């Protein structure tokens, strides 16, 4: 099967210890670490990496180095999140739309290839169906997306939960990242709006056997994402492969190969060629948009 690029990574994270990753680079990007991650991608034939940003300047520095490794690297520089909501670990906050507009301009001035917005929290690995942090309102998501598009930049949206996914797709975001806990309505909504979905399934599948979280809960979460991917495939949602590399248990370079593998297993050998075709199309659309 064709090997794809990494459509969702966090180069500032190390895959095993968030606090150590922050402590190491909080006072400035460490070129040696960045280069070690880029070498892992290069070694595995990965020539496209789309980052999810950070507020330590690591992804911005990586953009300056990636060409040395033959890697087409795209970054939002930092994600943008609403004050009091999830997103501090990867971005910069805003408290009102005037401040949000300033963040968009700031990202653009720092070399952002696109804007990343945080519209919900993350899934709770210890609780079935729970997403941390209240989602942003539909009106906020629409306004944030429109402002980024008005600035000439595409929008990557960190989203979990069916209603939040529908709000994002209908607002016109260019990609939905993660997208856990969906239903048929939200998946059909992504299909209708040609929203690219990057499901990052390996963040859950890599935890299934390690005992870090309740096994029954993890199995349930994985099953929901499995069913979501199967339905999205059936409904012709535009799919792209991204592993959330740097997240716990998901290593740079290795993570995307694991993501491709788990997607193949979920959809079955009989759909292998079609999956390859779909993922190639999704990555092509991401390269064009982002």
């Amino acid at each position: 099967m064709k090997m794809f690029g990494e459509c969702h990574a966090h180069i500032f994270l190390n895959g095993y210890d968030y606090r150590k990753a922050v402590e190491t680079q909080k006072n400035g990007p460490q070129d040696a670490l960045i280069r070690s991650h880029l070498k892992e991608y290069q070694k595995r034939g990965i020539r496209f990496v789309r980052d999810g940003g950070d507020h330590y300047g690591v992804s911005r520095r990586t953009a300056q180095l990636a060409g040395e490794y033959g890697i087409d690297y795209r970054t939002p520089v930092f994600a943008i999140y609403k004050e009091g909501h999830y997103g501090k670990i990867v971005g910069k906050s805003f408290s009102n739309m005037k401040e949000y507009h300033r963040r968009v301009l700031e990202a653009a001035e720092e070399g952002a290839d696109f804007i990343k917005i945080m519209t919900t929290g993350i899934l709770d690995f210890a609780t079935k169906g729970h997403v941390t942090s209240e989602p942003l309102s539909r009106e906020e998501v629409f306004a944030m997306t429109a402002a980024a598009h008005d600035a000439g930049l595409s929008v990557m949206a960190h989203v979990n939960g069916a209603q939040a996914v529908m709000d994002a797709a209908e607002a016109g975001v260019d990609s939905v990242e993660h997208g856990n806990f969906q239903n048929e309505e939200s998946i059909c909504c992504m299909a209708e709006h040609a929203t690219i979905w990057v499901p990052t399934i390996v963040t859950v599948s890599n935890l299934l056997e390690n005992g870090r979280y309740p096994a029954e809960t993890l199995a349930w979460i994985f099953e929901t994402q499995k069913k979501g991917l199967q339905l999205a495939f059936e409904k012709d949602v535009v799919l792209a492969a991204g592993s959330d590399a740097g997240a716990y248990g998901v290593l740079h370079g290795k993570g995307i190969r694991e993501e491709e593998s788990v997607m193949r297993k979920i959809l079955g050998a009989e759909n292998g060629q079609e999956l390859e075709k779909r993922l190639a199309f999704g990555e092509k659309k991401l390269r064009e948009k982002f």
Side-chain angles (χ1 to χ4, degrees):
M1 183 175 179
K2 171 181 167 60
M3 293 190 294
F4 298 95
E6 170 63 88
C7 294
H8 189 117
H10 288 281
I11 206 79
F12 88 105
L13 294 174
N14 57 28
Y16 64 91
D17 189 330
Y18 164 73
R19 289 183 176 84
K20 182 175 181 179
V22 170
E23 187 64 29
T24 302
Q25 305 204 79
K26 69 180 182 181
N27 295 319
Q30 301 298 303
D31 281 11
L33 276 176
I34 294 170
R35 289 183 182 280
S36 71
H37 295 328
L38 289 171
K39 286 176 183 175
E40 287 299 318
Y41 288 112
Q42 184 186 50
K43 182 172 71 177
R44 289 174 169 81
I46 297 163
R47 297 292 180 263
F48 176 67
V49 177
R50 179 171 167 262
D51 202 279
D54 65 273
H55 60 192
Y56 303 102
V58 181
S59 63
R60 182 174 58 184
R61 175 57 178 157
T62 305
Q64 298 169 345
L65 300 174
E68 296 178 29
Y69 298 84
I71 294 172
D72 179 358
Y73 178 84
R74 314 284 178 89
T75 176
V77 181
F78 55 84
I80 306 176
Y81 72 98
K82 187 176 182 181
E83 205 167 287
H85 293 252
Y86 175 78
K88 184 177 181 180
I89 70 168
V90 291
K92 297 184 180 182
S93 68
F94 71 96
S95 58
N96 54 55
M97 284 307 297
K98 185 176 181 180
E99 288 184 359
Y100 174 77
H101 280 266
R102 285 204 296 266
R103 289 297 191 202
V104 169
L105 294 176
E106 180 184 351
E109 289 168 0
E110 292 188 14
D113 297 299
F114 56 91
I115 295 299
K116 180 183 180 184
I117 62 174
M118 312 292 285
T119 73
T120 73
I122 58 173
L123 60 82
D124 179 352
F125 291 107
T127 308
K128 294 179 182 179
H130 181 247
V131 176
T132 67
S133 180
E134 286 296 313
L136 300 188
S137 71
R138 179 179 174 85
E139 292 74 23
E140 288 171 318
V141 176
F142 269 67
M144 292 164 70
T145 302
H149 284 166
D150 286 346
L153 293 163
S154 294
V155 178
M156 167 198 269
H158 165 111
V159 191
N160 288 298
Q163 184 59 55
V165 167
M166 287 190 285
D167 290 344
E170 290 172 353
V173 305
D174 299 278
S175 73
V176 161
E177 313 294 311
H178 316 305
N180 292 281
F181 308 139
Q182 291 202 60
N183 57 26
E184 184 170 0
E185 188 178 5
S186 64
I187 285 169
C188 287
C189 188
M190 287 194 296
E192 178 185 350
H193 292 276
T195 309
I196 303 166
W197 184 26
V198 185
T200 66
I201 301 167
V202 76
T203 55
V204 177
S205 64
N206 276 8
L207 294 174
L208 289 174
E209 305 296 333
N210 75 358
R212 185 178 175 90
Y213 298 102
E216 182 187 355
T217 302
L218 281 174
W220 182 90
I221 293 170
F222 178 72
E223 190 64 23
T224 65
Q225 195 72 330
K226 174 182 173 180
K227 290 177 179 176
L229 177 62
Q230 290 169 334
L231 184 57
F233 190 78
E234 177 188 323
K235 299 295 184 181
D236 292 327
V237 171
V238 181
L239 297 168
S243 72
D244 208 11
Y248 183 81
V250 187
L251 301 180
H252 291 288
K254 183 181 179 184
I256 188 58
R257 299 297 174 238
E258 293 172 332
E259 179 75 9
E260 293 165 10
S261 177
V262 76
M263 291 177 89
R264 288 196 300 270
K265 288 178 182 177
I266 287 172
L267 294 172
E270 69 277 13
N271 290 312
Q273 288 188 335
E274 181 62 21
L275 174 61
E276 180 176 336
K277 177 182 173 183
R278 301 272 194 95
L279 292 180
F281 177 76
E283 185 174 313
K284 179 176 181 288
K285 298 303 290 185
L286 286 178
R287 287 173 179 261
E288 291 172 354
K289 285 175 171 286
F290 289 84

